[in-house]
Amino acid sequence: MKDTLTIDTLTREDVTALIIAAKKRAGLSWEGIAETIGMSPVWTHSAAMGMNAMPKDKAEALVAALDLPTEAVDALTESPTKVWDQTVPTDPCIYRLYEIVGVYGPTIKALIHEKFGDGIMSAIDFDMAIERVENPKGDRVQVTMSGKYLGYNAW
């Protein structure tokens, strides 16, 4: 693929499309790709979808692993502009997460304030893991999020 594609500048959207096609063609999982580049599956997917910039070494590793054009490294290392196409997502899985924040967001905020004080959980200094938990009533999706506490007075 590297020698057959002669594109001077790939956009972030172009690279995302190339990543998805290469992943599918190779029959890879996000866990496998993440392991290959030495990052978590959550971060790897988010960066591959254009929501995070990759350090150059990780971008080069991804490009090599998926046999992408070398020009893709530049797009993968650029700081993203995070834009959502819809105010309310319509994909059922994403909508349920949106619904959780709508229903439990005020509760999460109140409990953060009680435990830490007036502030927020960082989404920059942030970790997340998604696990499958077997349960006799039906398997569970376990989402674990951990973000650095940032007090408002620190700003």
Side-chain angles (χ1 to χ4, degrees), residues 75-103:
L76 290 167
T77 59
E78 289 177 5
S79 295
T81 300
K82 299 177 184 184
V83 177
W84 290 270
D85 293 333
Q86 299 171 284
T87 303
V88 177
T90 56
D91 176 87
C93 186
I94 297 170
Y95 175 78
R96 292 297 176 254
L97 294 168
Y98 180 85
E99 180 180 38
I100 289 167
V101 172
V103 172

PDB file of all heavy atoms in Angstrom, residues 75-103:
ATOM      1  N   ALA A  75      -0.363  13.449  10.044  1.00  0.00           N
ATOM      2  CA  ALA A  75      -1.747  13.665  10.467  1.00  0.00           C
ATOM      3  C   ALA A  75      -1.978  13.106  11.872  1.00  0.00           C
ATOM      4  O   ALA A  75      -2.705  13.714  12.674  1.00  0.00           O
ATOM      5  CB  ALA A  75      -2.717  13.023   9.481  1.00  0.00           C
ATOM      6  N   LEU A  76      -1.379  11.969  12.187  1.00  0.00           N
ATOM      7  CA  LEU A  76      -1.573  11.347  13.495  1.00  0.00           C
ATOM      8  C   LEU A  76      -0.938  12.135  14.634  1.00  0.00           C
ATOM      9  O   LEU A  76      -1.377  12.043  15.779  1.00  0.00           O
ATOM     10  CB  LEU A  76      -1.011   9.920  13.487  1.00  0.00           C
ATOM     11  CG  LEU A  76      -1.797   8.910  12.658  1.00  0.00           C
ATOM     12  CD1 LEU A  76      -0.987   7.631  12.465  1.00  0.00           C
ATOM     13  CD2 LEU A  76      -3.141   8.602  13.310  1.00  0.00           C
ATOM     14  N   THR A  77       0.073  12.930  14.331  1.00  0.00           N
ATOM     15  CA  THR A  77       0.766  13.693  15.376  1.00  0.00           C
ATOM     16  C   THR A  77       0.219  15.110  15.543  1.00  0.00           C
ATOM     17  O   THR A  77       0.618  15.812  16.472  1.00  0.00           O
ATOM     18  CB  THR A  77       2.282  13.759  15.092  1.00  0.00           C
ATOM     19  OG1 THR A  77       2.501  14.367  13.821  1.00  0.00           O
ATOM     20  CG2 THR A  77       2.911  12.373  15.145  1.00  0.00           C
ATOM     21  N   GLU A  78      -0.693  15.525  14.675  1.00  0.00           N
ATOM     22  CA  GLU A  78      -1.270  16.869  14.788  1.00  0.00           C
ATOM     23  C   GLU A  78      -2.245  16.944  15.956  1.00  0.00           C
ATOM     24  O   GLU A  78      -2.968  15.999  16.239  1.00  0.00           O
ATOM     25  CB  GLU A  78      -2.034  17.229  13.510  1.00  0.00           C
ATOM     26  CG  GLU A  78      -1.152  17.481  12.328  1.00  0.00           C
ATOM     27  CD  GLU A  78      -1.946  17.769  11.064  1.00  0.00           C
ATOM     28  OE1 GLU A  78      -3.197  17.864  11.132  1.00  0.00           O
ATOM     29  OE2 GLU A  78      -1.317  17.889  10.009  1.00  0.00           O
ATOM     30  N   SER A  79      -2.287  18.105  16.610  1.00  0.00           N
ATOM     31  CA  SER A  79      -3.268  18.320  17.674  1.00  0.00           C
ATOM     32  C   SER A  79      -4.662  18.322  17.057  1.00  0.00           C
ATOM     33  O   SER A  79      -4.899  19.008  16.059  1.00  0.00           O
ATOM     34  CB  SER A  79      -3.023  19.651  18.379  1.00  0.00           C
ATOM     35  OG  SER A  79      -1.776  19.610  19.040  1.00  0.00           O
ATOM     36  N   PRO A  80      -5.577  17.553  17.637  1.00  0.00           N
ATOM     37  CA  PRO A  80      -6.908  17.436  17.033  1.00  0.00           C
ATOM     38  C   PRO A  80      -7.816  18.612  17.358  1.00  0.00           C
ATOM     39  O   PRO A  80      -7.628  19.296  18.360  1.00  0.00           O
ATOM     40  CB  PRO A  80      -7.460  16.161  17.669  1.00  0.00           C
ATOM     41  CG  PRO A  80      -6.816  16.125  19.007  1.00  0.00           C
ATOM     42  CD  PRO A  80      -5.423  16.690  18.799  1.00  0.00           C
ATOM     43  N   THR A  81      -8.773  18.820  16.495  1.00  0.00           N
ATOM     44  CA  THR A  81      -9.908  19.682  16.788  1.00  0.00           C
ATOM     45  C   THR A  81     -11.065  18.741  17.031  1.00  0.00           C
ATOM     46  O   THR A  81     -11.492  18.028  16.119  1.00  0.00           O
ATOM     47  CB  THR A  81     -10.219  20.626  15.607  1.00  0.00           C
ATOM     48  OG1 THR A  81      -9.056  21.433  15.366  1.00  0.00           O
ATOM     49  CG2 THR A  81     -11.421  21.501  15.906  1.00  0.00           C
ATOM     50  N   LYS A  82     -11.535  18.689  18.263  1.00  0.00           N
ATOM     51  CA  LYS A  82     -12.559  17.713  18.643  1.00  0.00           C
ATOM     52  C   LYS A  82     -13.938  18.286  18.339  1.00  0.00           C
ATOM     53  O   LYS A  82     -14.370  19.247  18.958  1.00  0.00           O
ATOM     54  CB  LYS A  82     -12.418  17.352  20.109  1.00  0.00           C
ATOM     55  CG  LYS A  82     -11.058  16.715  20.386  1.00  0.00           C
ATOM     56  CD  LYS A  82     -10.859  16.412  21.834  1.00  0.00           C
ATOM     57  CE  LYS A  82      -9.447  15.875  22.041  1.00  0.00           C
ATOM     58  NZ  LYS A  82      -9.205  15.461  23.405  1.00  0.00           N
ATOM     59  N   VAL A  83     -14.583  17.677  17.358  1.00  0.00           N
ATOM     60  CA  VAL A  83     -15.892  18.135  16.909  1.00  0.00           C
ATOM     61  C   VAL A  83     -16.835  16.941  16.869  1.00  0.00           C
ATOM     62  O   VAL A  83     -16.477  15.885  16.363  1.00  0.00           O
ATOM     63  CB  VAL A  83     -15.805  18.763  15.493  1.00  0.00           C
ATOM     64  CG1 VAL A  83     -17.174  19.171  15.003  1.00  0.00           C
ATOM     65  CG2 VAL A  83     -14.853  19.942  15.484  1.00  0.00           C
ATOM     66  N   TRP A  84     -18.009  17.131  17.426  1.00  0.00           N
ATOM     67  CA  TRP A  84     -19.036  16.097  17.346  1.00  0.00           C
ATOM     68  C   TRP A  84     -20.048  16.528  16.310  1.00  0.00           C
ATOM     69  O   TRP A  84     -20.467  17.684  16.264  1.00  0.00           O
ATOM     70  CB  TRP A  84     -19.726  15.907  18.697  1.00  0.00           C
ATOM     71  CG  TRP A  84     -18.830  15.267  19.697  1.00  0.00           C
ATOM     72  CD1 TRP A  84     -18.696  13.944  19.927  1.00  0.00           C
ATOM     73  CD2 TRP A  84     -17.927  15.914  20.603  1.00  0.00           C
ATOM     74  NE1 TRP A  84     -17.761  13.719  20.926  1.00  0.00           N
ATOM     75  CE2 TRP A  84     -17.281  14.910  21.348  1.00  0.00           C
ATOM     76  CE3 TRP A  84     -17.601  17.239  20.850  1.00  0.00           C
ATOM     77  CZ2 TRP A  84     -16.331  15.198  22.331  1.00  0.00           C
ATOM     78  CZ3 TRP A  84     -16.658  17.523  21.826  1.00  0.00           C
ATOM     79  CH2 TRP A  84     -16.036  16.506  22.551  1.00  0.00           C
ATOM     80  N   ASP A  85     -20.450  15.594  15.448  1.00  0.00           N
ATOM     81  CA  ASP A  85     -21.387  15.906  14.369  1.00  0.00           C
ATOM     82  C   ASP A  85     -22.806  16.120  14.869  1.00  0.00           C
ATOM     83  O   ASP A  85     -23.595  16.780  14.214  1.00  0.00           O
ATOM     84  CB  ASP A  85     -21.391  14.796  13.316  1.00  0.00           C
ATOM     85  CG  ASP A  85     -20.059  14.709  12.565  1.00  0.00           C
ATOM     86  OD1 ASP A  85     -19.372  15.742  12.472  1.00  0.00           O
ATOM     87  OD2 ASP A  85     -19.736  13.621  12.090  1.00  0.00           O
ATOM     88  N   GLN A  86     -23.144  15.548  16.008  1.00  0.00           N
ATOM     89  CA  GLN A  86     -24.505  15.639  16.517  1.00  0.00           C
ATOM     90  C   GLN A  86     -24.495  16.127  17.961  1.00  0.00           C
ATOM     91  O   GLN A  86     -23.600  15.786  18.722  1.00  0.00           O
ATOM     92  CB  GLN A  86     -25.176  14.267  16.506  1.00  0.00           C
ATOM     93  CG  GLN A  86     -25.285  13.651  15.140  1.00  0.00           C
ATOM     94  CD  GLN A  86     -25.755  12.207  15.261  1.00  0.00           C
ATOM     95  OE1 GLN A  86     -24.989  11.351  15.623  1.00  0.00           O
ATOM     96  NE2 GLN A  86     -27.010  11.990  14.959  1.00  0.00           N
ATOM     97  N   THR A  87     -25.525  16.893  18.335  1.00  0.00           N
ATOM     98  CA  THR A  87     -25.655  17.297  19.725  1.00  0.00           C
ATOM     99  C   THR A  87     -26.013  16.090  20.579  1.00  0.00           C
ATOM    100  O   THR A  87     -25.409  15.832  21.598  1.00  0.00           O
ATOM    101  CB  THR A  87     -26.733  18.392  19.868  1.00  0.00           C
ATOM    102  OG1 THR A  87     -26.358  19.478  19.027  1.00  0.00           O
ATOM    103  CG2 THR A  87     -26.838  18.868  21.292  1.00  0.00           C
ATOM    104  N   VAL A  88     -27.015  15.334  20.170  1.00  0.00           N
ATOM    105  CA  VAL A  88     -27.399  14.106  20.864  1.00  0.00           C
ATOM    106  C   VAL A  88     -27.066  12.943  19.934  1.00  0.00           C
ATOM    107  O   VAL A  88     -27.586  12.861  18.822  1.00  0.00           O
ATOM    108  CB  VAL A  88     -28.910  14.099  21.206  1.00  0.00           C
ATOM    109  CG1 VAL A  88     -29.305  12.788  21.864  1.00  0.00           C
ATOM    110  CG2 VAL A  88     -29.262  15.287  22.098  1.00  0.00           C
ATOM    111  N   PRO A  89     -26.187  12.041  20.373  1.00  0.00           N
ATOM    112  CA  PRO A  89     -25.819  10.921  19.506  1.00  0.00           C
ATOM    113  C   PRO A  89     -26.993   9.984  19.266  1.00  0.00           C
ATOM    114  O   PRO A  89     -27.838   9.809  20.148  1.00  0.00           O
ATOM    115  CB  PRO A  89     -24.708  10.221  20.283  1.00  0.00           C
ATOM    116  CG  PRO A  89     -24.824  10.689  21.686  1.00  0.00           C
ATOM    117  CD  PRO A  89     -25.521  12.005  21.657  1.00  0.00           C
ATOM    118  N   THR A  90     -27.043   9.394  18.080  1.00  0.00           N
ATOM    119  CA  THR A  90     -28.128   8.463  17.764  1.00  0.00           C
ATOM    120  C   THR A  90     -27.682   7.007  17.758  1.00  0.00           C
ATOM    121  O   THR A  90     -28.523   6.112  17.753  1.00  0.00           O
ATOM    122  CB  THR A  90     -28.760   8.811  16.398  1.00  0.00           C
ATOM    123  OG1 THR A  90     -27.736   8.823  15.408  1.00  0.00           O
ATOM    124  CG2 THR A  90     -29.459  10.157  16.449  1.00  0.00           C
ATOM    125  N   ASP A  91     -26.372   6.752  17.773  1.00  0.00           N
ATOM    126  CA  ASP A  91     -25.901   5.375  17.894  1.00  0.00           C
ATOM    127  C   ASP A  91     -26.328   4.856  19.263  1.00  0.00           C
ATOM    128  O   ASP A  91     -26.074   5.510  20.284  1.00  0.00           O
ATOM    129  CB  ASP A  91     -24.379   5.333  17.770  1.00  0.00           C
ATOM    130  CG  ASP A  91     -23.846   3.941  17.996  1.00  0.00           C
ATOM    131  OD1 ASP A  91     -23.786   3.182  17.014  1.00  0.00           O
ATOM    132  OD2 ASP A  91     -23.521   3.608  19.160  1.00  0.00           O
ATOM    133  N   PRO A  92     -26.996   3.696  19.338  1.00  0.00           N
ATOM    134  CA  PRO A  92     -27.539   3.225  20.621  1.00  0.00           C
ATOM    135  C   PRO A  92     -26.504   3.088  21.737  1.00  0.00           C
ATOM    136  O   PRO A  92     -26.777   3.464  22.876  1.00  0.00           O
ATOM    137  CB  PRO A  92     -28.148   1.864  20.281  1.00  0.00           C
ATOM    138  CG  PRO A  92     -28.431   1.925  18.822  1.00  0.00           C
ATOM    139  CD  PRO A  92     -27.363   2.804  18.230  1.00  0.00           C
ATOM    140  N   CYS A  93     -25.337   2.584  21.441  1.00  0.00           N
ATOM    141  CA  CYS A  93     -24.317   2.409  22.477  1.00  0.00           C
ATOM    142  C   CYS A  93     -23.830   3.772  22.985  1.00  0.00           C
ATOM    143  O   CYS A  93     -23.739   3.998  24.192  1.00  0.00           O
ATOM    144  CB  CYS A  93     -23.159   1.581  21.931  1.00  0.00           C
ATOM    145  SG  CYS A  93     -21.927   1.176  23.184  1.00  0.00           S
ATOM    146  N   ILE A  94     -23.545   4.675  22.070  1.00  0.00           N
ATOM    147  CA  ILE A  94     -23.066   6.006  22.464  1.00  0.00           C
ATOM    148  C   ILE A  94     -24.184   6.784  23.155  1.00  0.00           C
ATOM    149  O   ILE A  94     -23.956   7.475  24.149  1.00  0.00           O
ATOM    150  CB  ILE A  94     -22.513   6.762  21.243  1.00  0.00           C
ATOM    151  CG1 ILE A  94     -21.299   6.020  20.680  1.00  0.00           C
ATOM    152  CG2 ILE A  94     -22.137   8.200  21.615  1.00  0.00           C
ATOM    153  CD1 ILE A  94     -20.820   6.538  19.342  1.00  0.00           C
ATOM    154  N   TYR A  95     -25.413   6.630  22.670  1.00  0.00           N
ATOM    155  CA  TYR A  95     -26.533   7.330  23.302  1.00  0.00           C
ATOM    156  C   TYR A  95     -26.695   6.904  24.757  1.00  0.00           C
ATOM    157  O   TYR A  95     -26.974   7.730  25.622  1.00  0.00           O
ATOM    158  CB  TYR A  95     -27.851   7.101  22.550  1.00  0.00           C
ATOM    159  CG  TYR A  95     -28.996   7.728  23.298  1.00  0.00           C
ATOM    160  CD1 TYR A  95     -29.209   9.105  23.229  1.00  0.00           C
ATOM    161  CD2 TYR A  95     -29.803   6.975  24.145  1.00  0.00           C
ATOM    162  CE1 TYR A  95     -30.218   9.706  23.963  1.00  0.00           C
ATOM    163  CE2 TYR A  95     -30.820   7.558  24.873  1.00  0.00           C
ATOM    164  CZ  TYR A  95     -31.018   8.927  24.784  1.00  0.00           C
ATOM    165  OH  TYR A  95     -32.003   9.519  25.526  1.00  0.00           O
ATOM    166  N   ARG A  96     -26.545   5.616  25.060  1.00  0.00           N
ATOM    167  CA  ARG A  96     -26.695   5.147  26.444  1.00  0.00           C
ATOM    168  C   ARG A  96     -25.663   5.788  27.354  1.00  0.00           C
ATOM    169  O   ARG A  96     -25.941   6.131  28.499  1.00  0.00           O
ATOM    170  CB  ARG A  96     -26.608   3.624  26.537  1.00  0.00           C
ATOM    171  CG  ARG A  96     -27.769   2.917  25.912  1.00  0.00           C
ATOM    172  CD  ARG A  96     -29.098   3.258  26.626  1.00  0.00           C
ATOM    173  NE  ARG A  96     -30.220   2.648  25.955  1.00  0.00           N
ATOM    174  CZ  ARG A  96     -31.115   3.301  25.202  1.00  0.00           C
ATOM    175  NH1 ARG A  96     -31.022   4.592  25.026  1.00  0.00           N
ATOM    176  NH2 ARG A  96     -32.109   2.655  24.637  1.00  0.00           N
ATOM    177  N   LEU A  97     -24.435   5.965  26.861  1.00  0.00           N
ATOM    178  CA  LEU A  97     -23.419   6.652  27.664  1.00  0.00           C
ATOM    179  C   LEU A  97     -23.800   8.119  27.866  1.00  0.00           C
ATOM    180  O   LEU A  97     -23.643   8.676  28.952  1.00  0.00           O
ATOM    181  CB  LEU A  97     -22.051   6.524  27.005  1.00  0.00           C
ATOM    182  CG  LEU A  97     -21.510   5.093  26.966  1.00  0.00           C
ATOM    183  CD1 LEU A  97     -20.302   5.010  26.040  1.00  0.00           C
ATOM    184  CD2 LEU A  97     -21.179   4.583  28.353  1.00  0.00           C
ATOM    185  N   TYR A  98     -24.330   8.730  26.824  1.00  0.00           N
ATOM    186  CA  TYR A  98     -24.818  10.108  26.907  1.00  0.00           C
ATOM    187  C   TYR A  98     -25.950  10.197  27.939  1.00  0.00           C
ATOM    188  O   TYR A  98     -25.998  11.105  28.760  1.00  0.00           O
ATOM    189  CB  TYR A  98     -25.304  10.526  25.514  1.00  0.00           C
ATOM    190  CG  TYR A  98     -25.854  11.915  25.397  1.00  0.00           C
ATOM    191  CD1 TYR A  98     -25.017  13.000  25.193  1.00  0.00           C
ATOM    192  CD2 TYR A  98     -27.225  12.142  25.442  1.00  0.00           C
ATOM    193  CE1 TYR A  98     -25.529  14.274  25.047  1.00  0.00           C
ATOM    194  CE2 TYR A  98     -27.744  13.412  25.298  1.00  0.00           C
ATOM    195  CZ  TYR A  98     -26.892  14.480  25.108  1.00  0.00           C
ATOM    196  OH  TYR A  98     -27.399  15.739  24.969  1.00  0.00           O
ATOM    197  N   GLU A  99     -26.834   9.206  27.900  1.00  0.00           N
ATOM    198  CA  GLU A  99     -27.952   9.149  28.846  1.00  0.00           C
ATOM    199  C   GLU A  99     -27.436   8.988  30.282  1.00  0.00           C
ATOM    200  O   GLU A  99     -27.945   9.626  31.207  1.00  0.00           O
ATOM    201  CB  GLU A  99     -28.860   7.976  28.478  1.00  0.00           C
ATOM    202  CG  GLU A  99     -30.064   7.816  29.381  1.00  0.00           C
ATOM    203  CD  GLU A  99     -30.917   6.631  28.972  1.00  0.00           C
ATOM    204  OE1 GLU A  99     -30.368   5.581  28.571  1.00  0.00           O
ATOM    205  OE2 GLU A  99     -32.150   6.765  29.072  1.00  0.00           O
ATOM    206  N   ILE A 100     -26.419   8.156  30.480  1.00  0.00           N
ATOM    207  CA  ILE A 100     -25.843   7.962  31.812  1.00  0.00           C
ATOM    208  C   ILE A 100     -25.330   9.293  32.361  1.00  0.00           C
ATOM    209  O   ILE A 100     -25.585   9.647  33.514  1.00  0.00           O
ATOM    210  CB  ILE A 100     -24.725   6.896  31.779  1.00  0.00           C
ATOM    211  CG1 ILE A 100     -25.339   5.508  31.568  1.00  0.00           C
ATOM    212  CG2 ILE A 100     -23.877   6.941  33.053  1.00  0.00           C
ATOM    213  CD1 ILE A 100     -24.324   4.430  31.206  1.00  0.00           C
ATOM    214  N   VAL A 101     -24.620  10.047  31.522  1.00  0.00           N
ATOM    215  CA  VAL A 101     -24.119  11.345  31.963  1.00  0.00           C
ATOM    216  C   VAL A 101     -25.284  12.296  32.258  1.00  0.00           C
ATOM    217  O   VAL A 101     -25.257  13.035  33.241  1.00  0.00           O
ATOM    218  CB  VAL A 101     -23.143  11.952  30.928  1.00  0.00           C
ATOM    219  CG1 VAL A 101     -22.781  13.384  31.285  1.00  0.00           C
ATOM    220  CG2 VAL A 101     -21.895  11.101  30.830  1.00  0.00           C
ATOM    221  N   GLY A 102     -26.320  12.252  31.422  1.00  0.00           N
ATOM    222  CA  GLY A 102     -27.483  13.105  31.663  1.00  0.00           C
ATOM    223  C   GLY A 102     -28.184  12.786  32.972  1.00  0.00           C
ATOM    224  O   GLY A 102     -28.586  13.683  33.724  1.00  0.00           O
ATOM    225  N   VAL A 103     -28.314  11.507  33.269  1.00  0.00           N
ATOM    226  CA  VAL A 103     -29.021  11.081  34.482  1.00  0.00           C
ATOM    227  C   VAL A 103     -28.114  11.183  35.710  1.00  0.00           C
ATOM    228  O   VAL A 103     -28.523  11.672  36.760  1.00  0.00           O
ATOM    229  CB  VAL A 103     -29.559   9.640  34.325  1.00  0.00           C
ATOM    230  CG1 VAL A 103     -30.122   9.115  35.638  1.00  0.00           C
ATOM    231  CG2 VAL A 103     -30.622   9.591  33.222  1.00  0.00           C
TER     232      VAL A 103
END
